[in-house]
Amino acid sequence: MKKSLLLVDANEYLLLLLFVSATFFFFTSFACSNGGCQILESCSAATDCAVGLYCGNCAQSGKTQPFCIRGQANVPTSIIGGLPFNKYTWLVTHNAFSIVDAPLLTGPERITFYNQEDSVTNQLRNGVRGLMLDMYDFENDIWLCHSFHGQCFNITAFQPAINTLREVEAFLSSNPSEIVTIIIEDYVHTPKGLNKLFMDAGLDKYWFPVSKMPKKGEDWPTVTNMAQDNHRLLVFTSDSSKEASEGVAYQWRYMVENDPGDPGIQQGSCQNRKESKSLTSKSSSLFLQNYFPTMPVQAEACKEHSTPLMDMVGTCYKAAGNVMPNFLAVNFYMRSDGGGVFDALDRMNGQTLCGCVSITACQAGAPFGTCRNNAVLNSTSPTGPSGSFSGTVQLTGSASRIKPTSFLVIYGFQFFVILLVLYFNK
């Protein structure tokens, strides 16, 4: 009697295992993969996610399993074009050169903070249109350096600035309608050093002349005219003397800016940086919003780029007299729990350019407030080739992936159990 009961139990268990295995195989076979997974859907490899998405996680928000996360911007001019430059909001990478795992070129181990995870070329391909660069005199050249006290050291240096500027030149050359802004924290004292640097990088032909920049808060030229005139590179410096001596625009003459670092992410408060005029000043037509902590932490960025980001955008919008920021500067720009900074940019541009909740709802040529799908409030994927670039995601320390070998282990274990049950049923 005991033997027959054992046999029945074993057979039932065998059937149950076979059923579970078949069910698991069915669902995994028909789950999204090979570029078919959309935003927030589970993924097991980078190639599972659709264009503009990557496979990662956000443990700090309780999302420990890999899912598809947005990694590219919709370029607003590809949807609503022809407006003045200052009507758009552009993504800016804070310390764009300070890249995790950047090669050591000076010998000793680097001791400094890191702010980004992929190359400047890739940043531009993914929709970044503004680069914050710290430039120093170093080794008889101009280097990008994340340093202190206005001096670059072996342990804080990254690379000669011309290397990064050549990446910008290659991008502008390949994308004749795109506009890039460079904001320099300037510690270069070599006479005419910046002029020579940009000329040697081949960027002088794209330079937007200071003489044509609006001085009293007027609108900038349209993006169409800027492209036609090939004035597609805006360069600003923190050194006020460079405007007269080298023709490099003094940043705070043309834009207002909120406090960087921790003050810039303090909920409910958006104060102007001490070098900047008041955020409500009408004499500057550009507005830069800093949104990054003083101490950058890769793993925390995904949480920072969720609800708190949009809350701070709203706070700074009101602090500036209901003016939308033209530049949004962040660390680790691709990290988020879904749509991140890219969704924020879509909403900012949507509100300004067409009166819709997202740029993806805008309709070119339609009256303001006429929206394609005004109910879309949550994460959206890039609109496609016309609105995004095919950059590749190069996250460092990103979420672990579920590898094919993991499935072999699962099925192997189940097969072993089945053989064990059959053995005891003999």
Side-chain angles (χ1 to χ4, degrees), residues 29-55 67-69 381:
S29 297
F30 289 93
C32 64
S33 61
N34 296 325
C37 299
Q38 300 304 310
I39 193 164
L40 300 181
E41 290 187 331
S42 297
C43 53
S44 60
T47 53
D48 288 343
C49 298
V51 172
L53 308 177
Y54 70 95
C55 191
F67 61 98
C68 292
I69 299 172
S381 298

Side-chain angles (χ1 to χ4, degrees), residues 199-388:
M199 188 175 297
D200 290 346
L203 286 171
D204 52 313
K205 58 182 173 290
Y206 303 113
W207 194 281
F208 192 104
V210 169
S211 60
K212 293 182 178 293
M213 290 185 176
K215 302 291 192 296
K216 298 180 181 179
E218 311 96 319
D219 279 341
W220 282 66
T222 67
V223 291
T224 303
N225 288 339
M226 290 172 72
Q228 289 174 345
D229 295 338
N230 209 28
H231 291 160
R232 297 187 293 118
L233 178 68
L234 280 64
V235 183
F236 298 95
T237 173
S238 60
D239 185 340
S240 60
S241 69
K242 296 285 178 72
E243 183 161 330
S245 63
E246 299 189 43
V248 187
Y250 177 52
Q251 178 182 349
W252 294 293
R253 186 166 289 140
Y254 302 94
M255 69 175 71
V256 296
E257 177 183 1
N258 71 313
D259 265 328
D262 289 344
I265 60 174
Q266 183 179 339
Q267 295 297 321
S269 174
C270 188
Q271 303 295 324
N272 61 281
R273 181 176 181 148
K274 66 179 182 178
E275 297 92 342
S276 168
K277 290 170 283 190
S278 166
L279 298 186
T280 56
S281 172
K282 301 302 181 185
S283 62
S284 299
S285 47
L286 295 175
F287 173 19
L288 166 64
Q289 180 179 349
N290 294 301
Y291 181 81
F292 48 83
T294 302
M295 303 284 284
V297 180
Q298 283 172 277
E300 293 292 332
C302 68
K303 188 176 181 180
E304 293 163 2
H305 294 162
S306 57
T307 302
L309 170 56
M310 282 310 302
D311 289 344
M312 279 305 301
V313 168
T315 297
C316 288
Y317 170 79
K318 292 178 181 177
N322 294 339
V323 173
M324 195 66 75
N326 301 107
F327 303 105
L328 180 61
V330 299
N331 291 330
F332 306 119
Y333 72 101
M334 285 188 292
R335 297 254 177 184
S336 80
D337 63 354
V341 298
F342 305 107
D343 275 4
L345 288 163
D346 283 352
R347 298 185 190 197
M348 295 164 78
N349 279 307
Q351 180 175 326
T352 304
L353 301 180
C354 66
C356 301
V357 296
S358 171
I359 186 69
T360 58
C362 294
Q363 300 184 76
F368 193 85
T370 304
C371 309
R372 181 177 291 106
N373 184 5
N374 213 25
V376 178
L377 292 172
N378 295 317
S379 300
T380 55
S381 298
T383 56
S386 64
S388 63

Side-chain angles (χ1 to χ4, degrees), residues 59 88 116 125 142 151 165 190 227-228 260-262 269 289 423:
Y88 298 88
Q116 304 301 333
R125 286 175 178 169
I142 297 175
Q151 185 175 354
L165 295 186
T190 302
Q228 289 174 345
D262 289 344
S269 174
Q289 180 179 349
Y423 175 81

